[in-house]
Amino acid sequence: MKGDNRQLVVFWYSVRGRRVAAQDWMNAYLALDSLRLSRTDNALIRMNTELQPGERPEDAERRLLSFAGLVNPLLRNYIPL
């Protein structure tokens, strides 16, 4: 937090069609895919929204998850499976 600026952030990793939020799992999947498929590509998806003055975090989370739901189907066009 910088000054009065507050943000809510959600992120996850996409590893060959798998979605995980923990870096340990992402690393495990990368190691498996490296051995099985000779591939180590992945993506980090991060979305954030500013909390407006007086806004409850729950309301910002609802807004951010709604946006993520709209964007999520489009990601397959940009992230290899």
Side-chain angles (χ1 to χ4, degrees), residues 16-73:
R16 306 244 338 116
R18 303 176 201 98
R19 294 182 185 145
V20 295
Q23 188 171 4
D24 293 340
W25 280 107
M26 186 262 312
N27 287 334
Y29 285 130
L30 279 179
L32 286 172
D33 288 346
S34 175
L35 294 171
R36 290 183 327 139
L37 307 169
S38 297
R39 292 189 62 168
T40 58
D41 49 332
N42 69 359
L44 168 67
I45 296 92
R46 176 188 161 150
M47 299 181 185
N48 59 296
T49 187
E50 185 174 347
L51 274 78
Q52 302 301 317
E55 183 178 28
R56 297 180 321 155
E58 297 83 12
D59 295 331
E61 180 181 28
R62 199 171 5 266
R63 180 177 65 246
L64 188 55
L65 293 178
S66 175
F67 176 73
L70 294 172
V71 171
N72 192 43

Side-chain angles (χ1 to χ4, degrees), residues 8-25:
L8 181 70
V9 178
V10 296
F11 73 93
W12 65 93
Y13 299 96
S14 180
V15 185
R16 306 244 338 116
R18 303 176 201 98
R19 294 182 185 145
V20 295
Q23 188 171 4
D24 293 340
W25 280 107

